Amino acid sequence: MLTFYDNHIHRFYGESDSAAVFYDKARKAGSLGGNIFSLPPKSFDPA
């Protein structure tokens, strides 16, 4: 199996997997790690 380090992972609102489930899915896809980019929480106040 090909393994990789992904430097460009996006998470979006509505994705409800727990961190453990997300990590498990990434491992099963061959990812050894990566940087996750996500939108700020809806409660985030940019001011």
Side-chain angles (χ1 to χ4, degrees), residues 1-6 24-33:
M1 171 196 270
L2 177 67
T3 56
F4 59 93
Y5 185 89
D6 191 342
D24 187 54
K25 286 180 179 180
R27 285 297 226 196
K28 287 179 180 175
S31 177
L32 297 175

Side-chain angles (χ1 to χ4, degrees), residues 19-43:
V21 170
F22 176 79
Y23 180 76
D24 187 54
K25 286 180 179 180
R27 285 297 226 196
K28 287 179 180 175
S31 177
L32 297 175
N35 298 311
I36 300 172
F37 300 92
S38 64
L39 297 172
K42 290 182 181 182
S43 62

Side-chain angles (χ1 to χ4, degrees), residues 5-23:
Y5 185 89
D6 191 342
N7 197 35
H8 200 122
I9 302 168
H10 286 272
R11 297 272 302 185
F12 298 99
Y13 291 128
E15 292 186 21
S16 60
D17 287 343
S18 69
V21 170
F22 176 79
Y23 180 76

